[in-house]
Amino acid sequence: MSQSEYALLEDLDRRHVVHPITEFRVHEEKGPRLILGGKGVRVDTADGRSVIDGFSGLYNINVGHGRTEIAEAVSAQMKRLAYYPAFWGYSTEPAIRLAERLATLFPADRNISRFLFTTGGSDANEMNFRLARFYHASNGQTERCKVLSRRSGYHGVTCAAGSATGLPAYHVFADVSPVHHHVAAPNCLRCEYGNTSSDCAMECVEDVEAVIQREGPETVSAVITEPILGSGGIIMPPEGSLQRLQEICHTHGILLILDEVVTGFGRTGKWFGMEHFDLSPDLVSFAKGINSGYLPLGGCALSDKVYETIRDKGPQGFPFLGGLTYNNHASSCAAALANLDIVEREGLVENAREMGDYMIGCLRDNLGSHPFVKEIRGLGLMAAVEFTKPGTLEPVGGLPMAFTTSVSEHCWKRGAIARAMWETMSLAPPLCINRTELDELIDILTQSVHDAAAAFPEG
Ligand code: PLP
């Protein structure tokens, strides 16, 4: 395609395409960033550049771009049978093979062996809330309908998942449904109780107990959390806090839903985030890394306790009415199988662990002493550098995201995509990244921080 054809496409985008997380009027002024292709950790832009994808798209392109074996697996499946519904017991080979494979990937002692596939993370959470309710109803506890989730947590934007999302910006024009309740964020840097990690009494977790008592334990169905709060700014859980959360759930017969949409499938250097924190959730939501975004796919993993209760005690003649047209989609599942082959064959979970340690080390070396850097944190190949006006918790420049947006713009100009997430710059490159590519990415981020800082001399 010629430059004039790209310009035409960009103009058509301005006129006809609606982009989420994008201000319409700004988009019409600036136009799209047209991505033409990709290979490994890089994407090709319409202005002829090859840019490092430092956030794996949206935390999801774990095996990198341009994996022809996934395309071939999908093509073969589509030629045989692209799709058939999963309702009323219909099934397809890729869905069966994928479910069986996941049963071996989840840690053996967690008793997780049944899977329902969705189209992404939001609907995985929606389904898990329905499953939790159905589980309690099967036990005769129909009044258990409330869901607790954490401030700064992100669980999607559909109705129930959106209500569970605890980031205030998402509720400006979208009310929290009355059965959803937000509890304290487990954020040590910005502790809601004014504590520091040395005098932490884990009040954020005890807030879960307090809200359960306030609402009545017999009315609470589930607590949902991410192991690491991803979209909240890669917020690491206070030591021991997730186990305490799990204990609170167990005490009250409340289900723990672990949202592993970001942390699943190797991102943290283990297959699942639950392995770092010794968790045994009742339900797990996953998406993204399961097939690296080559086709839409997410899903719910059911513990044997939940599955068997519904199977053995569920109302007779009344099926689980949580069906989506695209549940257990054959082609998306075929993409997942090919994706998991790559992850295993290339040792990408181990690579995420090794490269993740290297990435955090380099970030600390390069940026640790910058006056605007408040904290550098992460696990595996997900890391955040948080910036504040020196000596405060205020945003650099006084305006939310003014500095980080500027850093992200500089990165783009210099040849890398890094995500401005609130007051952090976040990196989550494909799990196949190597040292040389990481050096380049971190170098670009470092230079971009210096570029942006020049425009904020006061901090
Ligand atoms: N849960 C978490 C932890 C996420 O990060 C996301 C998306 O980023 C979702 C759920 C929602 O997933 P989706 O955008 O596929 O609906």
Side-chain angles (χ1 to χ4, degrees):
M1 256 196 279
S2 64
Q3 283 305 321
S4 62
E5 284 168 308
Y6 295 145
L8 176 61
L9 272 183
E10 286 169 1
D11 188 45
L12 288 172
D13 186 287
R14 279 194 179 94
R15 285 197 280 143
H16 298 297
V17 182
V18 175
H19 294 266
I21 325 286
T22 304
E23 208 178 320
F24 294 172
R25 85 192 109 222
V26 175
H27 183 69
E28 286 198 28
E29 273 161 38
K30 287 171 73 176
R33 284 176 174 172
L34 195 53
I35 304 296
L36 303 175
K39 191 85 195 143
V41 302
R42 292 174 186 277
V43 289
D44 308 321
T45 66
D47 55 358
R49 298 182 307 138
S50 168
V51 169
I52 299 193
D53 186 358
F55 209 76
S56 308
L58 276 176
Y59 277 126
N60 57 338
I61 307 156
N62 284 6
V63 298
H65 300 272
R67 295 288 196 159
T68 48
E69 54 269 63
I70 301 182
E72 277 153 19
V74 168
S75 161
Q77 181 59 42
M78 284 189 168
K79 285 176 192 154
R80 197 175 320 127
L81 177 76
Y83 158 81
Y84 206 75
F87 290 23
W88 310 297
Y90 291 107
S91 204
T92 63
E93 184 177 354
I96 297 168
R97 296 223 178 274
L98 181 58
E100 190 230 358
R101 185 134 175 205
L102 295 193
T104 65
L105 285 183
F106 276 90
D109 59 353
R110 305 305 204 279
N111 300 318
I112 291 174
S113 55
R114 287 185 161 95
F115 305 89
L116 168 69
F117 299 105
T118 63
T119 63
S122 299
D123 53 348
N125 286 328
E126 298 280 333
M127 289 293 136
N128 271 336
F129 298 145
R130 280 180 183 259
L131 283 163
R133 185 100 200 255
F134 205 48
Y135 162 86
H136 291 300
S138 302
N139 273 330
Q141 298 188 314
T142 48
E143 70 286 9
R144 280 194 188 263
C145 58
K146 296 178 184 166
V147 174
L148 272 48
S149 57
R150 306 170 109 180
R151 288 193 274 281
S152 289
Y154 184 79
H155 302 291
V157 292
T158 52
C159 189
S163 286
T165 287
L167 291 160
Y170 286 85
H171 294 295
V172 174
F173 301 116
D175 299 328
V176 176
S177 116
V179 295
H180 286 262
H181 298 274
H182 295 157
V183 296
N187 185 346
C188 294
L189 181 62
R190 297 169 185 278
C191 176
E192 293 182 24
Y193 302 91
N195 295 335
T196 59
S197 21
S198 53
D199 60 4
C200 172
M202 279 204 269
E203 280 148 295
C204 56
V205 194
E206 295 315 319
D207 188 44
V208 180
E209 175 70 38
V211 173
I212 290 171
Q213 292 304 335
R214 185 192 74 202
E215 295 300 316
E218 69 292 347
T219 68
V220 180
S221 169
V223 173
I224 184 166
T225 188
E226 300 156 84
I228 296 167
L229 306 190
S231 300
I234 311 195
I235 299 170
M236 302 299 296
E239 177 101 36
S241 61
L242 286 167
Q243 282 96 335
R244 174 71 188 124
L245 182 68
Q246 176 166 271
E247 192 182 290
I248 292 171
C249 290
H250 282 180
T251 307
H252 297 295
I254 294 166
L255 297 185
L256 176 63
I257 304 175
L258 200 61
D259 184 335
E260 293 247 24
V261 165
V262 168
T263 50
F265 302 100
R267 171 63 56 197
T268 64
K270 295 195 183 212
W271 275 99
F272 296 98
M274 70 177 80
E275 295 169 68
H276 291 281
F277 307 109
D278 200 19
L279 296 173
S280 285
D282 300 295
L283 291 160
V284 182
S285 308
F286 57 83
K288 300 195 187 268
I290 185 166
N291 70 1
S292 294
Y294 278 70
L295 281 176
L297 189 68
C300 309
L302 285 69
S303 64
D304 294 345
K305 175 177 99 177
V306 169
Y307 177 82
E308 287 166 13
T309 299
I310 295 174
R311 180 191 66 194
D312 299 340
K313 298 190 188 169
Q316 282 203 3
F318 191 79
F320 172 59
L321 289 171
L324 300 169
T325 299
Y326 296 125
N327 278 134
N328 303 356
H329 195 290
S331 302
S332 300
C333 290
L337 287 163
N339 174 69
L340 294 175
D341 284 345
I342 296 171
V343 175
E344 286 187 326
R345 192 177 64 238
E346 298 186 4
L348 296 187
V349 181
E350 297 71 32
N351 195 56
R353 189 158 57 235
E354 266 174 49
M355 290 301 111
D357 288 347
Y358 181 68
M359 178 168 85
I360 287 265
C362 292
L363 287 171
R364 293 204 167 116
D365 289 348
N366 284 17
L367 289 168
S369 58
H370 192 284
F372 297 172
V373 172
K374 190 75 177 175
E375 188 172 80
I376 298 175
R377 53 180 184 260
L379 185 65
L381 278 171
M382 57 192 294
V385 182
E386 180 140 3
F387 298 92
T388 58
K389 204 186 239 303
T392 74
L393 286 174
E394 300 302 309
V396 174
L399 275 178
M401 289 188 71
F403 179 69
T404 51
T405 305
S406 166
V407 176
S408 155
E409 291 290 330
H410 282 288
C411 284
W412 172 252
K413 285 186 202 136
R414 286 180 172 274
I417 296 167
R419 182 162 166 191
M421 220 154 49
W422 318 113
E423 302 315 319
T424 77
M425 284 308 300
S426 295
L427 295 181
L431 309 191
C432 57
I433 197 160
N434 62 34
R435 265 170 206 262
T436 316
E437 291 160 339
L438 260 181
D439 286 342
E440 188 182 339
L441 174 61
I442 291 169
D443 199 46
I444 290 175
L445 177 63
T446 306
Q447 296 301 328
S448 302
V449 168
H450 293 305
D451 292 344
F456 293 84
E458 309 296 317

